[in-house]
Amino acid sequence: MVEVMYVCCMIVWLATYLAGAVRYELYITHMFQQNSYKPREYREWMQIHSNIGRLLGKSLYAIISLPLVGAGNTVCLVIACLMNIMTIWVNKPRKAKKPLVYTPRVKRMLMTTAFVYLLCAAASAAAGTVYAGGTVGAPRAVGMVLLALFLLTPLTILLVNWLNRPVEQGINRHYRNDAARILRQMPQLKIIGVTGSYGKTSVKYFLNTLLSVQYNVLHTPGNYNTTLGVVRTVREQMKPYHEIFICEMGAREVGDIKEICDLVQPDYGIITSIGPQHLQSFHTIENIIGTKFELADAVPAEGRVFLNYDNDYIRNHQIDKPVVSYGTAGGDVQIDYRACDITVSPEGSSFKMKDQSGREHTFHTRLVGNHNVQNIAGAIAVANTLGIPMEKLIYPVKQLESVPHRLQLVRQGNRILLDDSYNSNKNGFKAALDTLAMFRQMRILMTPGMVELGQKQYDENKEVGVYAADKCDYAVLVGKEQTIPIQDGLLEAGFPKSKMIVVDTLQEAFQMINAIPGEKQKVVLIENDLPDQYA
């Protein structure tokens, strides 16, 4: 009778274990996907202090359950079941900014994971039957092994990724070859590569709007800026009538841009910016510079490389390809397409630009800030070089829409939001602060700071804290530990501590902003919104 009760309890334990394990596995898979399926980036993510704590929290009750299962009595097993129920609760799905996408690759990973679990369970059951006492020994052995697998889930996914690697490589190779075949069949197609530490997505969309005045244009949608994203765009959307393909190229490691260039063979390239972004994977700014200029290396001698000369890293890097420069900088910097006399209001921005013949043209846009004007200047430079007269670009510039969450001006009741929440880097952060400083209303900065900066994380965040001190009237900082560097920078620069508000969540941040007294209209800069793997 006791043995029957024990087996029944073991079945309940197994059911609750599986429910918790599935939830935990989906969370880990989501984080692996958020880290672009790259083992090195995923391992670095795991090593971050806050993420170690998060992983321990999600497996804590399972850890407590482990010795209880091994005790071998019914009372302990009941308590272990309760621990499993707590595990289910702490791993309950939460609303994600970028939810887990059940791509074919994710489905294959989950199937392989299930196979690993079943194989280990079968092996442990057989071993338990032989060496640990028949029907009681087998469930106990299975329980111990499955619990161990649960605790090792963050590492198991690396094993699963390694097991699936030959299959994934074969599938990816087939898709890449098919995309290359499609591109070879369109020799008249002009391909423009767009890369940069920031600004590349905005320039891509602006360029698409301006070039569409005269050409049939295809661009990589959304965040399809990896090799496989480009492959998917070509295979699913490229048509024989397309004349120009705008290809956004993202990178987190040396060689990423070259891999995309080897596939698409760009005729033109535009490098929008270079800065200390993704230092966690690049390690040095020199690696970032070299990687971005992999695009310039791939452009043929008869092509053009468009460079943002406002960026010191770009301007000071010499290349042996024809260069067309653009920017907003004044002084002695020689720039082919210079935007100047920039004015900003709640209605947008105005600026003047001379073409290469020296004629001046005035442009108006609903977008705000030097950062957006700089990106528009780059798009104008490319479009004009490809044969579209400046006069023909005035109206489409006026019609440009803000790229969502990239210094997007949003009216929300009686307040104005400058939504720059997609991502954040030091130069972009400072540019957004410069835009905030132009407003005469009550200026509020809301930010959790910057991530993925490796050993420079504290210094870079402190620097923008110092820079922000005279650009905002209030600073609402999201995350007590995360924002310590920005707090230190603000205080060092003399920012009033009474106007620095530190909260735990974005919801609390908006509540505190609503509670700030004053009759003036509020302008809120939302700078960065941490991705799910850091939130």
Side-chain angles (χ1 to χ4, degrees), residues 13 17 62 65-66 69 142-152:
W13 181 90
Y17 160 83
S65 164
L66 178 59
V69 175
V142 170
M144 297 292 286
V145 169
L146 290 182
L147 194 54
L149 282 173
F150 182 98
L151 300 178
L152 293 173

Side-chain angles (χ1 to χ4, degrees), residues 57-79:
K58 288 181 173 293
S59 58
L60 175 63
Y61 295 103
I63 294 172
I64 297 172
S65 164
L66 178 59
L68 295 173
V69 175
N73 65 73
T74 305
V75 174
C76 289
L77 196 52
V78 170
I79 298 173

Side-chain angles (χ1 to χ4, degrees), residues 42 183 234 262 284 318 321 338 353 359 497 530 532:
Y42 172 75
L183 292 173
V234 172
D262 288 344
T284 68
Q318 300 299 314
K321 301 291 174 65
R338 185 194 306 272
M353 176 177 274
R359 290 183 300 166
K497 191 171 184 178
L530 293 182
D532 293 297

